[in-house]
């Protein structure tokens, strides 16, 4: 739950969240150790679903946290009133007071990044829908487990099939026995490391390699600031767990998502961009239809793009 300014809990100062990129919490939060890389997540604001994604990385570091305690029972279960005085009310002992007692405690600070698969679904599910999907009825924790099957069924019923497909594809990061693919492996570390949680290895080196070959250029739209360019695999890294030297392209962040979803593809014989009808109604993407890519491709990249085309175009035309 990303409550933002709509916070009823007054026992701390809240967290640094950017809902479409990362979520922060600490070791004082219930379920704080129960999240892992590869977990699908749903972010909401106490009223509606904001979006879904899959955790790509979890960072952990030592820090401190300012708690506000009830001066009577020393608990942090206090609510901050917006229009009544005294300012605070303790949910445990029912004491009312104007000033809480500050208490700085050591904590482990966590941040989960999930921007690679973020799909905005503002309002696709409402508060009642989401509360009904909680595995533990009446759960009021900020982080709570949901019924996975129920969530995907509810999203599919609202027409968010692509969001479900993205979750399924990204959530499974450990498929074994994957078939061989074209391309030549190169030096970045492969697979997933086991540190605090399992993370993709070699992703930074893979992006650096593409930057050195492609420069600050999105393959679909042309020059772009480096900070918005992502290393897009032309195959499912989730299935293969391997970076191939010529198995990717630098793509602008939004283009990367649309390519992964198959809404953008490349016609392999002419190397022209193909925009799916559902996307073509947006002028900024519709104008890309029929345009050639902005750089020369290697034969391995063409092979990967042909497989992407086969998956997303020939099966539906």
């Amino acid at each position: 739950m990303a409550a933002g300014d709509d916070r009823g809990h007054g026992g701390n100062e809240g967290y640094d969240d950017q809902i479409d990129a990362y979520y922060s919490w600490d070791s004082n939060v219930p379920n704080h150790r129960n999240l892992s890389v590869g977990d699908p997540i749903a972010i909401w604001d106490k009223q509606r679903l904001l979006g879904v994604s899959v955790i790509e990385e979890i960072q952990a570091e030592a820090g401190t946290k300012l708690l506000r305690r009830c001066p009577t029972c020393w608990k942090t279960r206090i609510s901050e009133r917006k229009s009544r005085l005294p300012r605070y009310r303790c949910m445990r002992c029912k004491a009312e007071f104007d000033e809480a007692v500050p208490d700085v405690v050591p904590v482990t600070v966590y941040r989960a990044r999930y921007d690679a698969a973020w799909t905005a679904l503002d309002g696709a599910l409402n508060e009642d829908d989401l509360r009904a999907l909680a595995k533990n009825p009446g759960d009021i924790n900020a982080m709570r487990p949901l019924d996975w099957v129920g969530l995907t069924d509810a999203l599919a019923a609202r027409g968010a099939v692509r969001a479900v497909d993205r979750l399924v594809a990204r959530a499974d990061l450990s498929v074994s026995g994957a078939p061989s693919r074209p391309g030549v492996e190169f030096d970045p570390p492969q697979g997933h490391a086991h540190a605090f949680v399992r993370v993709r290895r070699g992703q930074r080196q893979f992006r650096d390699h593409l930057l050195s070959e492609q420069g600050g250029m999105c393959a679909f739209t042309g020059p772009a600031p480096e900070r918005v360019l992502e290393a897009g695999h032309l195959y499912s890294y989730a299935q293969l767990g391997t970076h191939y030297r010529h198995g990717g392209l630098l793509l602008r962040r939004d283009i990367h998502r649309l390519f992964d979803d198959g809404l953008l593809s490349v016609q392999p014989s002419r190397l022209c961009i193909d925009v799916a009808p559902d996307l073509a109604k947006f002028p900024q993407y519709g104008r890309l239809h029929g345009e050639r890519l902005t750089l020369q491709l290697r034969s391995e990249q063409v092979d990967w793009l042909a497989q992407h085309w086969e998956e997303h175009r020939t099966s539906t035309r």
Side-chain angles (χ1 to χ4, degrees), residues 210 214-224 229-230 232 234 248-253 255-256 259 264-266 271-273 288 291-297 301 305:
L210 291 177
Q214 196 172 317
M217 183 84 65
C218 170
F220 281 61
T221 62
L229 292 173
E230 297 182 344
L234 303 180
L249 291 171
L250 281 180
L251 300 172
R252 210 173 65 194
R253 184 169 296 176
I255 299 295
H256 188 184
F259 178 82
L264 290 174
S265 194
V266 176
L271 295 182
C272 291
I273 300 168
L288 296 175
E291 294 291 320
R292 292 185 62 85
L293 296 183
T294 61
L295 72 162
Q296 291 292 112
L297 298 184
Q301 292 168 318
L305 287 170

Side-chain angles (χ1 to χ4, degrees), residues 3-304:
D5 293 331
D6 185 20
R7 302 181 72 246
H9 180 61
N12 61 60
E13 295 184 315
Y15 301 92
D16 172 30
D17 298 328
Q18 183 178 326
I19 61 167
D20 61 350
Y22 60 82
Y23 187 87
S24 303
W25 71 98
D26 60 59
S27 52
N28 269 359
V29 175
N31 296 319
H32 70 274
R33 292 184 62 87
N34 292 345
L35 276 72
S36 299
V37 168
D39 284 349
I41 57 171
I43 306 294
W44 71 310
D45 64 357
K46 298 203 295 187
Q47 297 179 356
R48 67 195 187 282
L49 177 68
L50 301 175
V52 295
S53 193
V54 174
I55 296 176
E56 296 280 333
E57 177 184 12
I58 297 179
Q59 303 165 345
E61 62 183 13
T64 59
K65 181 177 184 177
L66 173 62
L67 300 178
R68 298 191 186 103
R69 297 188 180 276
C70 169
T72 301
C73 70
W74 202 243
K75 301 298 183 182
T76 60
R77 285 286 311 278
I78 62 177
S79 62
E80 184 173 5
R81 293 160 158 172
K82 293 181 172 59
S83 59
R84 292 181 59 189
L85 294 176
R87 180 181 178 186
Y88 296 103
R89 182 175 187 270
C90 180
M91 305 300 290
R92 288 294 181 91
C93 72
K94 311 304 180 186
E96 298 180 348
F97 44 94
D98 288 315
E99 297 293 335
V101 180
D103 183 25
V104 178
V105 299
V107 294
T108 301
V109 180
Y110 301 99
R111 173 175 288 179
R113 295 204 65 94
Y114 48 77
D115 49 323
W118 174 256
T119 303
L121 292 169
D122 195 353
L125 301 177
N126 62 31
E127 176 185 0
D128 291 338
D129 296 327
L130 290 165
R131 291 191 184 278
L133 291 170
K135 283 190 174 181
N136 305 312
D139 194 338
I140 62 171
N141 293 320
M143 299 191 297
R144 65 195 75 171
L146 293 182
D147 174 4
W148 165 250
V149 174
L151 175 64
T152 55
D153 286 349
L155 290 175
R158 303 304 196 281
V161 176
R162 290 189 184 278
V164 173
D165 290 344
R166 175 179 285 175
L167 285 177
V168 172
R170 293 269 182 170
D172 185 6
L173 299 180
S174 58
V175 175
S176 60
S180 59
R181 302 284 184 171
V184 178
E185 297 179 34
F186 70 121
D187 289 336
Q190 311 297 337
H192 303 93
H194 291 266
F196 169 67
V197 291
R198 184 173 49 126
V199 296
R200 288 187 179 186
R201 301 183 63 205
Q203 183 68 16
R204 179 181 59 80
Q205 295 96 319
F206 183 61
R207 182 176 183 273
D208 290 345
H209 163 71
L210 291 177
L211 278 169
S212 68
E213 291 223 329
Q214 196 172 317
M217 183 84 65
C218 170
F220 281 61
T221 62
E226 285 190 10
R227 68 187 306 269
V228 305
L229 292 173
E230 297 182 344
H233 292 90
L234 303 180
Y235 51 90
S236 173
Y237 181 87
Q239 292 183 342
L240 301 186
T242 300
H243 301 290
Y244 290 99
R245 177 179 293 276
H246 303 307
L249 291 171
L250 281 180
L251 300 172
R252 210 173 65 194
R253 184 169 296 176
D254 58 329
I255 299 295
H256 188 184
R257 295 324 173 261
L258 296 169
F259 178 82
D260 281 354
D261 285 345
L263 292 173
L264 290 174
S265 194
V266 176
Q267 207 286 335
S269 62
R270 297 183 293 115
L271 295 182
C272 291
I273 300 168
D274 185 272
V275 182
D278 288 348
L279 185 63
K281 61 185 179 182
F282 299 98
Q284 67 269 39
Y285 302 115
R287 69 169 180 263
L288 296 175
H289 189 74
E291 294 291 320
R292 292 185 62 85
L293 296 183
T294 61
L295 72 162
Q296 291 292 112
L297 298 184
R298 298 177 180 270
S299 60
E300 297 96 329
Q301 292 168 318
V302 175
D303 289 341
W304 290 113

